[in-house]
Amino acid sequence: HHPIAVSLYYEDQRAEALRRTGHFLKERVPKYLGWLEQAVGTGRYALGARVSYVDLSVFQVVEGMRYAFPRTM
């Protein structure tokens, strides 16, 4: 949310924040969600036959993205 400087208020850099968000959604989200999908594979869990910290971390990433960018997700 602070694409220019953390010392500036959000309102002072809102235009840049919107521009950065567009780039993030277009370039980075597909790259990293695709990587996660490939890493987890088609199994029920990421590692072995039980829930692991990896599964919980992936869950938190996806839920955070769904909260922050509901129309994209």
Side-chain angles (χ1 to χ4, degrees), residues 13-40:
Q13 51 190 337
R14 186 173 178 157
E16 272 304 309
L18 290 172
R19 184 171 166 233
R20 173 126 168 95
T21 299
H23 170 54
F24 175 74
L25 294 175
K26 181 180 175 189
E27 302 288 332
R28 298 182 67 91
V29 168
K31 176 182 177 180
Y32 289 110
L33 288 182
W35 180 83
L36 278 176
E37 185 175 23
Q38 183 179 18
V40 171

Side-chain angles (χ1 to χ4, degrees), residues 35-36 38-58:
W35 180 83
L36 278 176
Q38 183 179 18
V40 171
T42 59
R44 185 169 180 175
Y45 302 108
L47 303 172
R50 294 177 33 182
V51 173
S52 67
Y53 283 110
V54 174
D55 298 299
L56 298 175
S57 295
V58 170

